[in-house]
Amino acid sequence: MPRSAKTRKPKLAVWKFSSCDGCQLSLLDCEDELLALADRVTIAHFLEASRAVVRGPYDLSLVEGSIATARDAERIHEVRRASKRLVTIGACATAGGVQALRNFRDVSEFLSVVYARPDVIDALETSTPIDHHVKVDFELRGCPIDKRQLLEVVSAFLNGRRPNVSSESVCTECKRRGLVCVLVARGAPCLGPVTHAGCGALCPACQRGCYGCFGPKEAPNTRALSARFIETLGASPSETARAFRTFNAWSDPFRKESEVLEESS
Ligand code: SF4
Ligand code: SF4
Ligand code: SF4
């Protein structure tokens, strides 16, 4: 007997754009939870895990990677059209990724230095986040993403509710763990005050400053943190600008702060 529309399992799709696959691996790393998830949904398109593909439309699409080629720019519209809900996962998809560092310079210069045959490279001048191209229903930050946050987001969308992912800073997680502040106690540059929570303050727990891999928290005070780096830690404006230019360099708050610092250096 055919399944009725009421009992049909929702279809989940996972898509890769310009990325390293690390965020998709976070989903595979869910292991036991992934088996439970497979009971609840049809994993309809997830080429990192299986070549078997079920045709769309898809109830929920998870998109990894940035738009960095002309083909990416076309394909994301196909994915959007085939998806009822679209969630971007990771710094590449939400901020353009480390490959967006080229946005600050002339990409043709990089191509000529890095590749023996730059003429065969199909690269746009910029690497941009998915929401610059299509409507995105939710952005999950991190490089890579945190699997607990990912499971919460998938569960929320499958149950028709808003994900419970806090937009607080890494500092909040750090304080909750009772860690000694490496910025105050050791003078280590730490982007925790402006960085989105999710990792559980992994780096400060290893006595290292946060370098912002989860991207900007909601309404980050980047100006105040830069002043602290420069006035108290003795960093130069260009060193401080570089701190904002890593995996999330093209996110608006980090990009604007690095440009202000660059102008003043
Ligand atoms: S966000 Fe980081 S881990 Fe995820 S795909 Fe991009 S580079 Fe890889
Ligand atoms: S170590 Fe970093 S993340 Fe932790 S409280 Fe200090 S500034 Fe915030
Ligand atoms: S502390 Fe910062 S750099 Fe380290 S994992 Fe967390 S968000 Fe990433």
Side-chain angles (χ1 to χ4, degrees), residues 141-142 146 148-149 164-181 190-205 210 213-215 217:
R141 297 188 178 279
D146 174 76
R148 289 156 302 184
Q149 287 192 331
N164 182 16
V165 174
S166 166
S167 59
E168 63 195 10
S169 69
V170 173
C171 283
T172 315
E173 298 183 298
C174 199
K175 294 291 115 195
R176 215 173 270 139
R177 286 185 67 172
L179 299 173
V180 172
C181 176
C190 182
L191 289 181
V194 297
T195 299
H196 198 289
C199 70
L202 196 57
C203 298
C210 166
C213 81
F214 268 64
K217 71 180 273 286

Side-chain angles (χ1 to χ4, degrees), residues 1-9:
M1 202 169 76
R3 263 179 196 276
S4 73
K6 254 188 164 171
T7 57
R8 178 183 74 81
K9 289 206 274 186

Side-chain angles (χ1 to χ4, degrees), residues 87-117:
V87 171
T88 48
I89 56 171
C92 295
T94 59
V98 73
Q99 58 273 32
L101 288 173
R102 73 184 192 225
N103 302 2
F104 296 96
R105 297 286 184 267
D106 177 1
V107 74
S108 59
E109 277 182 41
F110 291 132
L111 291 178
S112 66
V113 171
V114 174
Y115 297 101
R117 289 280 315 275

Side-chain angles (χ1 to χ4, degrees), residues 208-258:
R208 291 178 7 176
C210 166
Y211 51 90
C213 81
F214 268 64
K217 71 180 273 286
E218 194 175 7
N221 191 345
T222 52
R223 282 280 66 207
L225 189 64
S226 289
R228 172 89 189 194
F229 278 22
I230 293 167
E231 290 159 19
T232 314
L233 306 186
S236 68
S238 67
E239 286 167 338
T240 308
R242 278 205 298 279
F244 286 100
R245 286 191 182 172
T246 59
F247 312 92
N248 292 278
W250 206 244
S251 64
D252 271 2
F254 286 8
R255 174 179 59 77
K256 284 179 186 158
E257 185 59 30
S258 74

